[in-house]
Amino acid sequence: MGCDGGTIPKRHELVKGPRKVEKADKNAELVAKWHYCALSQEKLRRPIVACELGRLYNKDAIIEFLLDKSADKTPMTAASHIKSIKNVTELKLADNPAWSGDKESIKGDKYDDMQSARFICPVVGLEMNGRHRFCFLRNCGCVFSERALKEIKSEVCHKCGVPFQEEDVIILNGNKEDVEVLKKRMEDRRLKSKLEKKSKKSKSAESASQQGTTEDSPGPSKAKGRKDCISSSSGEKKQVILTKSSDNGNSSVPGKVNKASATTTKRSIADSEKSEAYKSIFTSHSSAKRSKEECSNWVTHTAYCF
């Protein structure tokens, strides 16, 4: 029956302590990072791309993710920072000649070594299995081990010869500190590109406005033509414009004239007509007087001669 004095229970059998935290298997974690896509969780197959944070993806999975615009789209934290296909780089990987693939493990009667890698470093020959730090160049997409870049220091790619800087080197599947540094670089790079686009747009707008002003402004021939038209206008029109502008001091435009200015212009025209009529009468009267005087002088002269 138990507890009859023959057995003495111990403390660890009666009191249950806290559960131990289960730790993830490091080997399984490395296999998941370096052999499977971070978005679709499928095996990596070419073409393979990497983001600016150093995560590995299948290119087909990224394209499907970007093309899916439905409202039921599940948010993916692994690809939330990818907004277009330009945010990823296609990798140029070197095959491992010692890797036999999955053919030997089909029957299940052989040990499957998950630490064997499909790709290697083309300079040093290290396997890309997660035990060694690998990186790629953002300009060309070539993949090297970090040891190769440290031992053979160069500002040019060892494989294709494309020049690069320290900011263009992105570590693949780095730790938390590496991801934070890469994230900061990514944000700075995107902010810089936005500012460049804005400056280009402002410059293009300024150039377009300058072209519009040059087209609208009249040339020298047009200005001369306008001056000639003004000079060739009749005197009566000039008098009318002057009277309109002088009578209506408040209005800046000569066309906008009130009734008072219109009456003054009519009076001025009537006065000018009357003065011309008086002048014609005066000239005719003076000519008649002169003719009479000449006749009388001629008569007196003829009488004196006879």
Side-chain angles (χ1 to χ4, degrees):
M1 297 295 290
C3 292
D4 55 355
T7 59
I8 300 172
K10 295 181 181 180
R11 185 178 182 277
H12 71 275
E13 294 177 356
L14 299 173
V15 180
K16 293 182 179 181
R19 291 182 180 181
K20 293 182 180 180
V21 178
E22 295 180 359
K23 293 182 180 179
D25 188 6
K26 291 183 178 181
N27 294 331
E29 190 176 357
L30 290 175
V31 168
K33 284 183 178 180
W34 293 92
H35 290 79
Y36 293 91
C37 175
L39 182 61
S40 63
Q41 302 302 323
E42 297 178 356
K43 279 192 175 182
L44 291 171
R45 59 183 182 275
R46 286 181 171 173
I48 300 171
V49 296
C51 65
E52 294 175 313
L53 300 181
R55 295 167 184 164
L56 298 173
Y57 308 90
N58 288 327
K59 192 173 183 179
D60 299 338
I62 293 294
I63 292 171
E64 291 177 0
F65 173 75
L66 294 173
L67 291 176
D68 188 7
K69 303 293 184 182
S70 61
D72 299 335
K73 181 179 178 180
T74 56
M76 297 290 183
T77 57
S80 59
H81 59 285
I82 299 174
K83 305 300 181 182
S84 67
I85 198 66
K86 294 181 181 179
N87 299 139
V88 296
T89 306
E90 187 172 348
L91 301 180
K92 298 176 182 178
L93 298 163
D95 294 327
N96 185 8
W99 187 73
S100 57
D102 300 331
K103 294 180 180 179
E104 297 180 357
S105 61
I106 290 173
K107 295 180 180 179
D109 56 352
K110 190 176 181 180
Y111 173 70
D112 190 8
D113 187 11
M114 297 300 294
Q115 297 300 320
S116 62
R118 183 180 174 183
F119 308 107
I120 60 171
C121 175
V123 180
V124 183
L126 295 175
E127 293 185 353
M128 198 174 73
N129 54 10
R131 294 186 177 183
H132 308 284
R133 288 168 65 88
F134 272 73
C135 55
F136 75 95
L137 303 180
R138 196 174 59 87
N139 295 339
C140 57
C142 295
V143 180
F144 303 98
S145 62
E146 193 177 23
R147 187 187 298 179
L149 292 178
K150 287 182 179 180
E151 290 181 357
I152 306 171
K153 293 183 179 180
S154 176
E155 295 180 355
V156 178
C157 178
H158 301 309
K159 193 174 181 180
C160 61
V162 176
F164 67 93
Q165 298 178 358
E166 187 179 356
E167 296 179 355
D168 299 328
V169 179
I170 298 175
I171 298 171
L172 291 170
N173 292 326
N175 51 23
K176 291 182 179 179
E177 295 177 356
D178 297 333
V179 172
E180 289 178 359
V181 173
L182 293 173
K183 191 173 182 180
K184 188 176 180 181
R185 288 181 183 177
M186 178 184 69
E187 292 174 354
D188 295 341
R189 199 181 297 116
R190 291 183 180 181
L191 181 62
K192 186 177 179 181
S193 64
K194 284 183 181 179
L195 294 174
E196 287 177 356
K197 287 181 181 178
K198 286 183 180 179
S199 63
K200 286 180 182 179
K201 286 182 180 179
S202 62
K203 286 180 182 179
S204 62
E206 288 178 359
S207 62
S209 63
Q210 288 178 359
Q211 289 178 359
T213 52
T214 52
E215 289 177 358
D216 294 336
S217 60
S221 60
K222 292 181 180 180
K224 288 180 180 179
R226 290 179 181 177
K227 288 181 180 179
D228 295 336
C229 292
I230 292 167
S231 62
S232 63
S233 61
S234 62
E236 293 178 358
K237 290 182 179 179
K238 287 182 180 179
Q239 289 178 0
V240 171
I241 292 166
L242 290 170
T243 52
K244 288 179 181 179
S245 61
S246 60
D247 292 332
N248 190 9
N250 295 325
S251 62
S252 59
V253 181
K256 297 180 180 179
V257 184
N258 54 10
K259 294 181 180 179
S261 61
T263 53
T264 52
T265 52
K266 289 180 181 179
R267 289 176 182 176
S268 62
I269 292 166
D271 295 337
S272 61
E273 290 177 354
K274 288 181 180 179
S275 62
E276 288 177 358
Y278 286 132
K279 285 180 182 179
S280 62
I281 293 167
F282 180 75
T283 51
S284 61
H285 184 68
S286 61
S287 61
K289 280 185 176 182
R290 286 178 184 175
S291 60
K292 286 181 180 181
E293 289 178 357
E294 289 177 356
C295 290
S296 61
N297 290 331
W298 182 74
V299 169
T300 53
H301 182 70
T302 50
Y304 180 75
C305 290
F306 284 108

